[in-house]
Every structure is written in C-alpha cells, then in structure tokens.
Amino acid sequence: MSEYTVRPARSADVLGIHLLLEPLVDRRILLGKDLAILYGAVQEFVVAEKDGELIGCGALHVMWEDLGEVRTLIVRDDWLQRGVGRAIVDELETRARILGLQRLFCLTFETAFFTRRGFAPIGEQVVDPDVYSQLLRSPDEGVAEFLNLAHVKPNTLGNTRMLKNL
C-alpha cells in the first residue's frame, strides 16, 4: 500500500494548493495565482495527500486539440525524492491520454526531472502557423509562455520550455 494517494482535487483543496504554492512564489520559482483563479481551475488539478494533508499537486491545462500543459507541479520539500512528483505527472499524463492529447508542454527549472519523464527542450516553432495564429488569441499566460511571446519573457527567465509526445 502506498504511503500517499494521488486523487482529483476538490474545491476544499484550493486553500491547501495555495499554501503549497506560496513558498515557491516567494522564491520566484512559480508565479502566484489568486484564489479565484485556483478555484476556477480546480478541475484541472490532482493532489497528493497523506493522512488528509496535501503534500503535492499538479494541473493539466488543455491548450489545443492535441496539446496540454503540466502546470503548478509542486511537491512539499519534506516529500521530495519519494516519487510524489512522478506519481502526479503519471496521473496527469493518464488524464491527457483520456482527453485525446498527444503532446504535453511544461515550463520548468526542473529539467532533469522532466527529462526523466520523457520531456525534451523545444525550439521556437512547435505548432503549425494556423494553430499559432489561433493560440495568439488566447488570454492565457501559459499559452503565451508556450508560444514564447516577448511579453512573458520576464516571467520565464531561467526556465526551459519542454515537450513530450504521448
């Protein structure tokens, strides 16, 4: 039996997700998210918990017909190197396959972790021009990061854009 479980997030988990996020925002590793944004995206999240306490989370955001993004992947410091991040990403990949996605994007400092999961750094143009023009219309900052648009570059300095084919 596993020492923790990974399950879909519930609205009651949002405050816990926010608490997991705060230290990484303070260290400028992740961008902050308002509670209203987290509540609106709760269906995208899975959480890892031990005895009712959140020890990690991650989200799958659909960007296009065949493309999703792994977002807000967090594992509490005292649970690092125990397979929690891997279990969360595995669950997000399962969800992505169920949705019919064929590729997963992430923007990360943790390149070694994501490389072990099959992700690889990407260049500038990874979608065809028609899809690119449609994605430009999205107000979502994650889409802007995927497209590597100039206005998000201050938020992405030091991060690596990575992609995995499912």
Side-chain angles (χ1 to χ4, degrees):
M1 184 179 201
S2 177
E3 58 183 317
Y4 57 86
T5 58
V6 176
R7 62 165 174 79
R10 300 184 282 260
S11 59
D13 296 319
V14 168
L15 290 177
I17 291 169
H18 194 256
L19 287 173
L20 288 171
L21 183 60
E22 281 181 340
L24 297 174
V25 172
D26 292 343
R27 293 174 15 212
R28 299 181 56 89
I29 294 171
L30 291 176
L31 294 176
K33 290 184 173 47
D34 293 327
L35 284 172
I37 299 298
L38 290 173
Y39 278 111
V42 71
Q43 70 280 358
E44 296 181 356
F45 277 86
V46 297
V47 295
E49 70 175 351
K50 167 72 173 164
D51 299 329
E53 189 175 340
L54 295 190
I55 60 171
C57 67
L60 172 66
H61 180 77
V62 175
M63 299 171 82
W64 198 251
E65 177 184 12
D66 67 336
L67 178 65
E69 180 184 7
V70 173
R71 292 184 171 180
T72 320
L73 180 62
I74 304 168
V75 176
R76 217 171 63 187
D77 285 345
D78 57 331
W79 279 86
L80 291 173
Q81 306 299 319
R82 295 171 71 178
V84 177
R86 180 181 65 242
I88 291 169
V89 171
D90 287 349
E91 179 60 27
L92 296 176
E93 287 183 10
T94 296
R95 290 171 159 226
R97 286 183 180 96
I98 290 168
L99 291 170
L101 302 180
Q102 298 167 2
R103 300 179 296 163
L104 283 180
F105 165 75
C106 70
L107 179 70
T108 185
F109 290 112
E110 301 294 335
T111 56
F113 172 83
F114 280 99
T115 298
R116 288 191 303 273
R117 311 269 85 65
F119 287 76
I122 57 173
E124 292 299 310
Q125 192 68 26
V126 293
V127 294
D128 69 53
D130 291 336
V131 173
Y132 184 91
S133 68
Q134 292 293 320
L135 287 173
L136 278 175
R137 299 176 185 170
S138 174
D140 187 276
E141 290 298 299
V143 172
E145 291 164 350
F146 171 73
L147 297 175
N148 206 24
L149 300 180
H151 77 274
V152 295
K153 288 193 186 225
N155 297 337
T156 63
L157 291 177
N159 281 287
T160 301
R161 297 165 59 242
M162 300 183 82
L163 194 68
K164 177 177 182 173
N165 291 312
L166 296 175

PDB file of all heavy atoms in Angstrom, residues 3 7 9 13-14 27 29 34 37 58 64 85 88 108 118 121 123 126 135 148 154 157 163 165:
ATOM      1  N   GLU A   3       2.235   5.014   0.599  1.00  0.00           N
ATOM      2  CA  GLU A   3       2.214   5.869   1.778  1.00  0.00           C
ATOM      3  C   GLU A   3       1.455   7.171   1.544  1.00  0.00           C
ATOM      4  O   GLU A   3       1.251   7.926   2.470  1.00  0.00           O
ATOM      5  CB  GLU A   3       3.638   6.132   2.274  1.00  0.00           C
ATOM      6  CG  GLU A   3       4.546   6.762   1.249  1.00  0.00           C
ATOM      7  CD  GLU A   3       5.959   6.927   1.791  1.00  0.00           C
ATOM      8  OE1 GLU A   3       6.130   7.340   2.942  1.00  0.00           O
ATOM      9  OE2 GLU A   3       6.884   6.632   1.034  1.00  0.00           O
ATOM     10  N   ARG A   7      -5.137  11.929  -6.134  1.00  0.00           N
ATOM     11  CA  ARG A   7      -6.559  11.943  -6.477  1.00  0.00           C
ATOM     12  C   ARG A   7      -6.924  13.270  -7.116  1.00  0.00           C
ATOM     13  O   ARG A   7      -6.181  14.256  -6.998  1.00  0.00           O
ATOM     14  CB  ARG A   7      -7.406  11.704  -5.227  1.00  0.00           C
ATOM     15  CG  ARG A   7      -7.219  12.784  -4.184  1.00  0.00           C
ATOM     16  CD  ARG A   7      -8.292  12.761  -3.114  1.00  0.00           C
ATOM     17  NE  ARG A   7      -8.020  13.708  -2.059  1.00  0.00           N
ATOM     18  CZ  ARG A   7      -8.242  15.012  -2.132  1.00  0.00           C
ATOM     19  NH1 ARG A   7      -8.727  15.559  -3.234  1.00  0.00           N
ATOM     20  NH2 ARG A   7      -7.986  15.793  -1.090  1.00  0.00           N
ATOM     21  N   ALA A   9      -8.411  16.860  -7.422  1.00  0.00           N
ATOM     22  CA  ALA A   9      -8.601  17.914  -6.424  1.00  0.00           C
ATOM     23  C   ALA A   9     -10.075  18.237  -6.274  1.00  0.00           C
ATOM     24  O   ALA A   9     -10.868  18.078  -7.204  1.00  0.00           O
ATOM     25  CB  ALA A   9      -7.827  19.166  -6.824  1.00  0.00           C
ATOM     26  N   ASP A  13      -9.735  21.638  -1.463  1.00  0.00           N
ATOM     27  CA  ASP A  13      -8.273  21.554  -1.515  1.00  0.00           C
ATOM     28  C   ASP A  13      -7.609  22.852  -1.946  1.00  0.00           C
ATOM     29  O   ASP A  13      -6.389  22.989  -1.850  1.00  0.00           O
ATOM     30  CB  ASP A  13      -7.844  20.463  -2.511  1.00  0.00           C
ATOM     31  CG  ASP A  13      -8.272  19.079  -2.086  1.00  0.00           C
ATOM     32  OD1 ASP A  13      -8.169  18.760  -0.888  1.00  0.00           O
ATOM     33  OD2 ASP A  13      -8.702  18.310  -2.978  1.00  0.00           O
ATOM     34  N   VAL A  14      -8.371  23.809  -2.439  1.00  0.00           N
ATOM     35  CA  VAL A  14      -7.775  25.005  -3.043  1.00  0.00           C
ATOM     36  C   VAL A  14      -6.923  25.779  -2.049  1.00  0.00           C
ATOM     37  O   VAL A  14      -5.818  26.224  -2.389  1.00  0.00           O
ATOM     38  CB  VAL A  14      -8.857  25.887  -3.703  1.00  0.00           C
ATOM     39  CG1 VAL A  14      -8.300  27.252  -4.074  1.00  0.00           C
ATOM     40  CG2 VAL A  14      -9.403  25.180  -4.940  1.00  0.00           C
ATOM     41  N   ARG A  27      10.052  32.388  -3.509  1.00  0.00           N
ATOM     42  CA  ARG A  27      11.391  32.113  -4.044  1.00  0.00           C
ATOM     43  C   ARG A  27      11.481  32.393  -5.545  1.00  0.00           C
ATOM     44  O   ARG A  27      12.505  32.120  -6.152  1.00  0.00           O
ATOM     45  CB  ARG A  27      11.782  30.660  -3.745  1.00  0.00           C
ATOM     46  CG  ARG A  27      11.956  30.442  -2.265  1.00  0.00           C
ATOM     47  CD  ARG A  27      12.217  29.028  -1.779  1.00  0.00           C
ATOM     48  NE  ARG A  27      12.611  28.007  -2.711  1.00  0.00           N
ATOM     49  CZ  ARG A  27      12.272  26.719  -2.570  1.00  0.00           C
ATOM     50  NH1 ARG A  27      11.531  26.324  -1.540  1.00  0.00           N
ATOM     51  NH2 ARG A  27      12.684  25.833  -3.441  1.00  0.00           N
ATOM     52  N   ILE A  29      10.095  30.928  -8.022  1.00  0.00           N
ATOM     53  CA  ILE A  29      10.158  29.718  -8.839  1.00  0.00           C
ATOM     54  C   ILE A  29       8.883  29.565  -9.649  1.00  0.00           C
ATOM     55  O   ILE A  29       8.911  29.158 -10.804  1.00  0.00           O
ATOM     56  CB  ILE A  29      10.422  28.486  -7.949  1.00  0.00           C
ATOM     57  CG1 ILE A  29      11.823  28.593  -7.340  1.00  0.00           C
ATOM     58  CG2 ILE A  29      10.255  27.188  -8.736  1.00  0.00           C
ATOM     59  CD1 ILE A  29      12.124  27.567  -6.277  1.00  0.00           C
ATOM     60  N   ASP A  34      -4.070  33.868  -7.867  1.00  0.00           N
ATOM     61  CA  ASP A  34      -5.127  34.285  -6.954  1.00  0.00           C
ATOM     62  C   ASP A  34      -6.031  33.107  -6.641  1.00  0.00           C
ATOM     63  O   ASP A  34      -6.194  32.194  -7.461  1.00  0.00           O
ATOM     64  CB  ASP A  34      -5.960  35.407  -7.582  1.00  0.00           C
ATOM     65  CG  ASP A  34      -5.178  36.696  -7.744  1.00  0.00           C
ATOM     66  OD1 ASP A  34      -4.301  36.972  -6.903  1.00  0.00           O
ATOM     67  OD2 ASP A  34      -5.448  37.418  -8.726  1.00  0.00           O
ATOM     68  N   ILE A  37      -8.576  32.293  -9.283  1.00  0.00           N
ATOM     69  CA  ILE A  37      -8.041  31.543 -10.428  1.00  0.00           C
ATOM     70  C   ILE A  37      -7.930  30.066 -10.067  1.00  0.00           C
ATOM     71  O   ILE A  37      -8.282  29.189 -10.870  1.00  0.00           O
ATOM     72  CB  ILE A  37      -6.664  32.105 -10.847  1.00  0.00           C
ATOM     73  CG1 ILE A  37      -6.775  33.564 -11.281  1.00  0.00           C
ATOM     74  CG2 ILE A  37      -6.018  31.246 -11.929  1.00  0.00           C
ATOM     75  CD1 ILE A  37      -7.657  33.811 -12.479  1.00  0.00           C
ATOM     76  N   GLY A  58      -0.559  19.157  -8.934  1.00  0.00           N
ATOM     77  CA  GLY A  58      -0.211  19.472 -10.310  1.00  0.00           C
ATOM     78  C   GLY A  58      -1.496  19.623 -11.103  1.00  0.00           C
ATOM     79  O   GLY A  58      -2.552  19.136 -10.691  1.00  0.00           O
ATOM     80  N   TRP A  64      -4.813  23.033 -26.774  1.00  0.00           N
ATOM     81  CA  TRP A  64      -5.280  22.852 -28.146  1.00  0.00           C
ATOM     82  C   TRP A  64      -5.773  21.427 -28.289  1.00  0.00           C
ATOM     83  O   TRP A  64      -5.673  20.624 -27.360  1.00  0.00           O
ATOM     84  CB  TRP A  64      -4.144  23.159 -29.136  1.00  0.00           C
ATOM     85  CG  TRP A  64      -4.640  23.427 -30.532  1.00  0.00           C
ATOM     86  CD1 TRP A  64      -4.495  22.628 -31.622  1.00  0.00           C
ATOM     87  CD2 TRP A  64      -5.370  24.572 -30.985  1.00  0.00           C
ATOM     88  NE1 TRP A  64      -5.084  23.206 -32.724  1.00  0.00           N
ATOM     89  CE2 TRP A  64      -5.625  24.408 -32.360  1.00  0.00           C
ATOM     90  CE3 TRP A  64      -5.843  25.735 -30.368  1.00  0.00           C
ATOM     91  CZ2 TRP A  64      -6.326  25.337 -33.122  1.00  0.00           C
ATOM     92  CZ3 TRP A  64      -6.530  26.659 -31.123  1.00  0.00           C
ATOM     93  CH2 TRP A  64      -6.770  26.458 -32.484  1.00  0.00           C
ATOM     94  N   GLY A  85       6.218  13.557  -7.130  1.00  0.00           N
ATOM     95  CA  GLY A  85       6.152  14.289  -8.397  1.00  0.00           C
ATOM     96  C   GLY A  85       5.905  13.361  -9.570  1.00  0.00           C
ATOM     97  O   GLY A  85       5.090  13.643 -10.448  1.00  0.00           O
ATOM     98  N   ILE A  88       2.278  12.247  -9.581  1.00  0.00           N
ATOM     99  CA  ILE A  88       1.386  13.318 -10.038  1.00  0.00           C
ATOM    100  C   ILE A  88       1.464  13.442 -11.563  1.00  0.00           C
ATOM    101  O   ILE A  88       0.438  13.500 -12.248  1.00  0.00           O
ATOM    102  CB  ILE A  88       1.724  14.653  -9.339  1.00  0.00           C
ATOM    103  CG1 ILE A  88       1.357  14.573  -7.855  1.00  0.00           C
ATOM    104  CG2 ILE A  88       1.002  15.822 -10.015  1.00  0.00           C
ATOM    105  CD1 ILE A  88       1.882  15.728  -7.017  1.00  0.00           C
ATOM    106  N   THR A 108       9.756  24.898 -17.034  1.00  0.00           N
ATOM    107  CA  THR A 108      10.291  24.420 -15.765  1.00  0.00           C
ATOM    108  C   THR A 108      11.752  24.776 -15.546  1.00  0.00           C
ATOM    109  O   THR A 108      12.510  24.978 -16.501  1.00  0.00           O
ATOM    110  CB  THR A 108      10.131  22.892 -15.673  1.00  0.00           C
ATOM    111  OG1 THR A 108      10.549  22.444 -14.389  1.00  0.00           O
ATOM    112  CG2 THR A 108      10.945  22.181 -16.754  1.00  0.00           C
ATOM    113  N   GLY A 118      10.503  11.873 -19.987  1.00  0.00           N
ATOM    114  CA  GLY A 118      10.356  11.822 -21.439  1.00  0.00           C
ATOM    115  C   GLY A 118      10.166  13.157 -22.127  1.00  0.00           C
ATOM    116  O   GLY A 118       9.924  13.211 -23.332  1.00  0.00           O
ATOM    117  N   PRO A 121      13.672  19.622 -24.342  1.00  0.00           N
ATOM    118  CA  PRO A 121      13.601  21.060 -24.657  1.00  0.00           C
ATOM    119  C   PRO A 121      13.095  21.279 -26.080  1.00  0.00           C
ATOM    120  O   PRO A 121      13.355  20.470 -26.976  1.00  0.00           O
ATOM    121  CB  PRO A 121      15.049  21.531 -24.509  1.00  0.00           C
ATOM    122  CG  PRO A 121      15.687  20.528 -23.610  1.00  0.00           C
ATOM    123  CD  PRO A 121      15.007  19.210 -23.935  1.00  0.00           C
ATOM    124  N   GLY A 123      12.264  24.209 -29.394  1.00  0.00           N
ATOM    125  CA  GLY A 123      12.652  25.456 -30.033  1.00  0.00           C
ATOM    126  C   GLY A 123      11.480  26.422 -30.102  1.00  0.00           C
ATOM    127  O   GLY A 123      10.526  26.338 -29.327  1.00  0.00           O
ATOM    128  N   VAL A 126       6.690  25.130 -32.650  1.00  0.00           N
ATOM    129  CA  VAL A 126       6.321  23.729 -32.451  1.00  0.00           C
ATOM    130  C   VAL A 126       4.874  23.431 -32.848  1.00  0.00           C
ATOM    131  O   VAL A 126       4.405  22.323 -32.665  1.00  0.00           O
ATOM    132  CB  VAL A 126       6.583  23.265 -30.996  1.00  0.00           C
ATOM    133  CG1 VAL A 126       8.064  23.253 -30.700  1.00  0.00           C
ATOM    134  CG2 VAL A 126       5.831  24.122 -30.017  1.00  0.00           C
ATOM    135  N   LEU A 135      -3.776  30.342 -31.367  1.00  0.00           N
ATOM    136  CA  LEU A 135      -3.299  30.404 -29.980  1.00  0.00           C
ATOM    137  C   LEU A 135      -2.947  31.823 -29.563  1.00  0.00           C
ATOM    138  O   LEU A 135      -3.069  32.174 -28.380  1.00  0.00           O
ATOM    139  CB  LEU A 135      -2.090  29.477 -29.792  1.00  0.00           C
ATOM    140  CG  LEU A 135      -2.385  27.982 -29.784  1.00  0.00           C
ATOM    141  CD1 LEU A 135      -1.085  27.183 -29.773  1.00  0.00           C
ATOM    142  CD2 LEU A 135      -3.263  27.600 -28.608  1.00  0.00           C
ATOM    143  N   ASN A 148       6.261  31.431 -26.412  1.00  0.00           N
ATOM    144  CA  ASN A 148       7.487  32.189 -26.142  1.00  0.00           C
ATOM    145  C   ASN A 148       7.345  33.648 -26.565  1.00  0.00           C
ATOM    146  O   ASN A 148       8.264  34.234 -27.145  1.00  0.00           O
ATOM    147  CB  ASN A 148       8.691  31.534 -26.814  1.00  0.00           C
ATOM    148  CG  ASN A 148       9.993  31.855 -26.114  1.00  0.00           C
ATOM    149  OD1 ASN A 148      10.008  32.179 -24.930  1.00  0.00           O
ATOM    150  ND2 ASN A 148      11.088  31.774 -26.843  1.00  0.00           N
ATOM    151  N   PRO A 154       9.958  38.057 -19.182  1.00  0.00           N
ATOM    152  CA  PRO A 154      10.439  38.339 -17.819  1.00  0.00           C
ATOM    153  C   PRO A 154       9.986  37.296 -16.800  1.00  0.00           C
ATOM    154  O   PRO A 154      10.661  37.059 -15.806  1.00  0.00           O
ATOM    155  CB  PRO A 154       9.840  39.714 -17.499  1.00  0.00           C
ATOM    156  CG  PRO A 154       9.633  40.347 -18.829  1.00  0.00           C
ATOM    157  CD  PRO A 154       9.265  39.216 -19.754  1.00  0.00           C
ATOM    158  N   LEU A 157      12.387  33.731 -17.416  1.00  0.00           N
ATOM    159  CA  LEU A 157      13.844  33.729 -17.421  1.00  0.00           C
ATOM    160  C   LEU A 157      14.381  32.579 -16.582  1.00  0.00           C
ATOM    161  O   LEU A 157      13.998  32.392 -15.438  1.00  0.00           O
ATOM    162  CB  LEU A 157      14.385  35.059 -16.900  1.00  0.00           C
ATOM    163  CG  LEU A 157      14.153  36.262 -17.809  1.00  0.00           C
ATOM    164  CD1 LEU A 157      14.670  37.530 -17.141  1.00  0.00           C
ATOM    165  CD2 LEU A 157      14.820  36.076 -19.163  1.00  0.00           C
ATOM    166  N   LEU A 163       8.715  19.635 -24.057  1.00  0.00           N
ATOM    167  CA  LEU A 163       7.566  18.988 -24.673  1.00  0.00           C
ATOM    168  C   LEU A 163       7.758  17.485 -24.638  1.00  0.00           C
ATOM    169  O   LEU A 163       8.885  16.987 -24.750  1.00  0.00           O
ATOM    170  CB  LEU A 163       7.436  19.465 -26.124  1.00  0.00           C
ATOM    171  CG  LEU A 163       6.133  19.170 -26.842  1.00  0.00           C
ATOM    172  CD1 LEU A 163       4.982  19.972 -26.257  1.00  0.00           C
ATOM    173  CD2 LEU A 163       6.271  19.487 -28.333  1.00  0.00           C
ATOM    174  N   ASN A 165       5.938  13.901 -26.331  1.00  0.00           N
ATOM    175  CA  ASN A 165       4.952  13.228 -27.171  1.00  0.00           C
ATOM    176  C   ASN A 165       4.422  12.041 -26.402  1.00  0.00           C
ATOM    177  O   ASN A 165       5.208  11.216 -25.908  1.00  0.00           O
ATOM    178  CB  ASN A 165       5.575  12.780 -28.490  1.00  0.00           C
ATOM    179  CG  ASN A 165       5.912  13.948 -29.369  1.00  0.00           C
ATOM    180  OD1 ASN A 165       5.108  14.851 -29.592  1.00  0.00           O
ATOM    181  ND2 ASN A 165       7.133  13.977 -29.875  1.00  0.00           N
TER     182      ASN A 165
END
